[in-house]
Amino acid sequence: MEHPENDDLYRGLKVNKGVADVPTVNPYLKKRLQRKEYTPSEFVEGILKGNITILSQAVTLVESAKYEHQQLAQEIIEKCLPHAGKSVRIGITGVPGAGKSTSIDAFGMHLIKEGRKLAVLAIDPSSERSKGSILGDKTRMEALSREKNAFIRPSPSAGSLGGVARKTRETIVLCEAAGFDTVFVETVGVGQSETAVHSMVDFFLLIQLAGTGDELQGIKRGIMEMADGIIINKADGDNIDKANLAAAQFKNALHLFPPADSGWFPKVLTYSGYYNLRIKEIWDMVGEYMEFTKKNGYFNFKRNEQAKYWMYESINDTLRETFYHNPAVEGMLARTEQQVLNNEISSFVAAKRMMDLFLENLSKK
Ligand code: GDP
């Protein structure tokens, strides 16, 4: 009997026939999520045609930690490379609350209206941030996210800063091949990620705020030195005077820095991202910089230096990965670490042993 409780023995108790549960997962969803598997050439063809769905899928491959995805991604990138490099790459940094998303929305809309195609990427090594507080959700750039000529992609979340930065750099290649002529790379101005952004952009924009007392706002000196333009946001309403004062202070501070290799003297401007004030001036500055550095050869020099930097970064990454994924190394690492902790061997002997083991077993992958 299906429900023994309904036996005469248990009079007064009645269990009704059950009703089947509705499935908790929409059965149609799975079907929809199943993606078409593209070949590398189909990927490249789609990207070159500017197909955003295919571009997004290729970026997902770039971000994936899976070996076969990485293989496929590298093949796609290689084929896209000859079609890349033609965009203006701009790094944008500023502490949380400086108004990065509001400003990117305003800058981006300005560019879209000029007929440009814009990709907005981010570098953020901490997975916390990508949960939505910073670039995790597109709602941060409301106007821009509705534009078909804008491609917004949150930071790849997993992994080390180096890994995340490399993925963003590779995504730039894909976006450029897809016809995006302007690329923004956003980062929070508090850590190491600025250096990584600096190594992949042509122009580095630092967003600052006025009137917070300490004008440098925890922005390290190094970041100021990297900036090609310092823009003071929220120069609106009661804040205008304070913003102008801050601009004067920044200008003075910049005079204390050694001249930049580019020969360009960083500019300081005030604007309002929220009220859309003096956005054009910021773009005129970027344009001026491009013209200036293309003329004096710095533009190409820097792009070449960056290409070199990324070659070595990539070698270092591969070396590290090959080392730590080598089965012999994996088998011995914990034990050797314990020996160091027990003071049985020194760190250096331990390192040498691991390296020797690695080199002996290199071919036995
Ligand atoms: P992010 O954390 O750097 O991305 O900063 P948001 O763009 O999220 O901006 C932080 C806050 O500052 C939000 O409440 C914005 O509305 C506000 N904000 C941004 N730009 C301006 C501006 O130009 N003027 C004023 N008054 N407020 C702004």
Side-chain angles (χ1 to χ4, degrees), residues 95-102 140 186 233-234 236 272-275:
V95 293
K100 288 180 297 304
S101 31
T102 314
R140 289 179 67 234
E186 183 204 358
N233 190 18
K234 310 194 189 181
D236 46 53
S272 168
Y274 190 82
Y275 294 101

Side-chain angles (χ1 to χ4, degrees), residues 44 47 51 59 67 77 116 131 148 156 171 174-175 185 216 222 239 277 283 300 338:
V44 177
I47 291 170
N51 181 324
V59 174
Y67 182 75
I77 291 167
R116 301 192 73 118
K131 282 190 188 138
K148 70 173 188 347
T171 303
L174 300 184
C175 291
V185 185
L216 293 186
N239 213 20
L277 305 171
W283 292 107
N300 275 334
Q338 198 51 51

